[in-house]
Amino acid sequence: MAGAVVKPNQIYLLLAGIVGIATAYAFVWITQYYTEYKYRPVSLDRRGFGDWPRHQHHRRLSVGFECTGVPVLVISLALLLAYFFGEMALPSTPGAGLYGTAIATMGMLAPCAYILAMDTFGPITDNAGGIIEMSGQPEEIRRKTTAWTRSGTRQRP
């Protein structure tokens, strides 16, 4: 029937959104893994790779390839899943897979405001600590701002 309205299978649209949220979470984890000193890529760079400069260069290059390859695999999987869920939600509708990827994109962008706010919180408290030092405030106040800066969350000074 031409012009008939197709009722979407909403569970697949929900799954496309969940794929987007899971992708955002995966990107946060991947970024933390490749930039935090506790994990292998950065701790290897701090300890050194060996005696020869060429070993250092090759290891750093391989970690560089690895840290760009993992996000490519994650985004590829997310696109395939979201496209599939879009096709399953609106069968026999042209462009349904693209609609699924658009829903996944919205799911991936949903936590962006929170992530950006948390990323800017550390520098703001660090600046506050610098102002406290320059104004000659007691050391107790500086310890309170440093407790916030260490992990991004409130800790006891």
Side-chain angles (χ1 to χ4, degrees):
M1 238 164 64
V5 176
V6 178
K7 185 170 170 139
N9 190 345
Q10 295 175 354
I11 219 54
Y12 286 110
L13 296 178
L14 173 69
L15 289 173
I18 290 172
V19 163
I21 293 170
T23 303
Y25 177 76
F27 279 157
V28 168
W29 185 84
I30 291 167
T31 302
Q32 183 176 359
Y33 178 75
Y34 284 104
T35 57
E36 195 168 330
Y37 70 93
K38 295 190 290 191
Y39 298 109
R40 181 187 61 84
V42 179
S43 69
L44 274 177
D45 195 38
R46 262 189 339 171
R47 287 185 305 207
F49 294 109
D51 297 335
W52 296 344
R54 70 174 173 229
H55 286 158
Q56 293 177 6
H57 175 73
H58 288 259
R59 287 266 178 98
R60 287 184 177 135
L61 187 63
S62 67
V63 169
F65 285 146
E66 179 185 330
C67 76
T68 56
V70 174
V72 166
L73 293 175
V74 168
I75 199 75
S76 299
L77 180 65
L79 280 171
L80 290 172
L81 282 173
Y83 191 88
F84 171 76
F85 289 145
E87 289 286 328
M88 295 302 290
L90 298 161
S92 71
T93 304
L98 295 177
Y99 185 63
T101 59
I103 290 176
T105 302
M106 291 293 100
M108 194 168 108
L109 293 176
C112 277
Y114 172 75
I115 292 168
L116 287 173
M118 291 308 293
D119 284 346
T120 58
F121 186 72
I124 290 170
T125 57
D126 193 38
N127 288 344
I131 292 169
I132 288 169
E133 278 184 11
M134 287 187 288
S135 65
Q137 297 295 317
E139 184 61 30
E140 175 186 336
I141 296 173
R142 177 63 179 149
R143 275 187 273 128
K144 287 180 183 178
T145 58
T146 304
W148 281 95
T149 308
R150 264 188 233 125
S151 68
T153 57
R154 179 75 171 116
Q155 294 179 352
R156 294 186 183 183

